[in-house]
Amino acid sequence: MLLPLLALALTGHSASTNPHKPITLSSTGGFQIGGRTMSAPFNPNLTLSCDHGYMEYFLPTRPRKTSLVMWHSSSTQVWQNTWSGGAGFKDLFLRRDYPVYLWDGPRVGRANWACEATVYTPAYMDTSNFVAWNFGPRYKQWWDGVRFPTEDEDAWQQATSARYVEYDTKSNVELHARAAAVAADSGRIGRDIVYLTNSAGGLRAQLTATLSNSTNIKGIVTYESIGYVYPDNLNITAGKGGFGPYVVPLEDFKKLARVPGIQFVWGDHRAENYSYVQESRRVAGLINKYGGNAEVVKLGEVGVRGATHIPFADLGNEDVAGLLDEFLEGNGLDGRKKIMLCYIGLHVTVYMYRPQTLGFLACMV
């Protein structure tokens, strides 16, 4: 029994990406975080707790040290499955033993208890969803080779039905970022956090990093980010809507340069002169100017063709996951939590590292 345990301690649990590898979890759950409690104007004894975010978590039995926070701008569903219903990034990275967190920002999804009145007016969104998610140049005209099951009408219905109501306003971006910064600084999602974001979630994650007062945010990988944060020394006029540009004090912007790794990822149907591609290159350059480590990756240039606006949900998303593996490894974010081997007589017990409970045991890391 001792030798296998020593091997486990020294080499770590297998990082196999076998799609049939069982997912073993120590716990799952969820919690609300951030937000505020306000009193009714007509009766201060009546209160409402609101504008919090909701975090669902999945913790592997032998976890890596880095927590992956999957932040949607459309729905948590896009992280859970591919367009065909196969394994999404949630399961792909649980099989790699990363703790996974699915985040619903304030007023959307499972965190829709708002401090202000919200309005939903039905709009005919299927057509615009098709184009916005870059399935093709216009409704039901698919890109050649697109990584979507184009002949499967149910797959299309699942995709367009999964979208949450979004509030893409400047105030909502700030609201989401404040709640996410509280979550990041709390330690409840770990001390090594990598945000995986999509679309308008990219702007929110960037702003979160500028608001955070800890060093817990270790990475941001944003797929087709719509909206960017700039420092206030460039004479850039802040946008009035929810897609930026967003302007912050220079000292806050420099917090992005202290994040060990930032990656802006684009599919192969985004032209180089697309405004948000150009912005991503400009912001990456600014982050690097202040000592950061940011890069722009175009999937078509690294051999991943046919990507949609949500490439981690595409058919063959293992290719995109492989690029994320390289990012995490390259930035030293793929390590494992320490495991201690503790000896009691002839028995051997394996513990996750909790020094306060192990002082009386003979242990080795």
Side-chain angles (χ1 to χ4, degrees), residues 171-187:
S171 61
N172 188 264
V173 171
E174 295 170 349
L175 180 67
H176 280 219
R178 286 195 301 270
V182 170
D185 292 349
S186 72

Side-chain angles (χ1 to χ4, degrees), residues 258-317:
R258 293 195 284 272
V259 174
I262 296 177
Q263 192 176 75
F264 302 109
V265 182
W266 293 99
D268 53 324
H269 291 294
R270 298 298 190 188
E272 185 59 35
N273 63 0
Y274 181 55
S275 61
Y276 290 118
V277 172
Q278 293 179 327
E279 280 197 80
S280 70
R281 292 199 183 279
R282 184 178 186 187
V283 170
L286 289 168
I287 292 170
N288 293 340
K289 174 183 176 181
Y290 294 110
N293 177 29
E295 64 176 343
V296 176
V297 175
K298 299 189 82 173
L299 294 176
E301 294 175 359
V302 294
V304 181
R305 300 285 181 181
T308 70
H309 180 55
I310 308 177
F312 47 85
D314 286 347
L315 303 181
N317 62 352

Side-chain angles (χ1 to χ4, degrees), residues 43-168:
N43 184 346
N45 293 320
L46 297 177
T47 60
L48 174 64
S49 298
C50 48
D51 280 355
H52 51 267
Y54 177 80
M55 193 75 77
E56 183 178 16
Y57 60 85
F58 305 84
L59 306 181
T61 54
R62 298 188 179 101
R64 296 180 187 266
K65 66 178 182 178
T66 298
S67 302
L68 301 182
V69 178
M70 300 184 179
W71 190 338
H72 62 93
S73 70
S74 55
S75 164
T76 54
Q77 181 63 39
V78 296
W79 300 104
Q80 295 180 84
N81 297 103
T82 64
W83 303 123
S84 63
F89 259 34
K90 175 178 75 70
D91 284 1
L92 291 183
F93 283 90
L94 284 175
R95 286 194 170 95
R96 289 160 162 82
D97 298 320
Y98 286 94
V100 169
Y101 295 78
L102 299 182
W103 170 247
D104 280 323
R107 303 186 184 180
V108 299
R110 295 165 290 182
N112 65 357
W113 212 236
C115 293
E116 299 175 355
T118 60
V119 176
Y120 168 69
T121 302
Y124 299 95
M125 294 291 294
D126 287 353
T127 300
S128 60
N129 281 348
F130 188 93
V131 177
W133 290 355
N134 210 19
F135 295 139
R138 56 190 59 85
Y139 185 59
K140 288 302 183 75
Q141 293 189 23
W142 306 90
W143 294 118
D144 289 341
V146 68
R147 293 186 169 206
F148 190 96
T150 58
E151 302 301 319
D152 187 345
E153 184 62 24
D154 182 64
W156 161 244
Q157 289 299 325
Q158 287 290 315
T160 194
S161 299
R163 190 168 187 177
Y164 291 172
V165 175
E166 294 180 34
Y167 301 99
D168 288 315

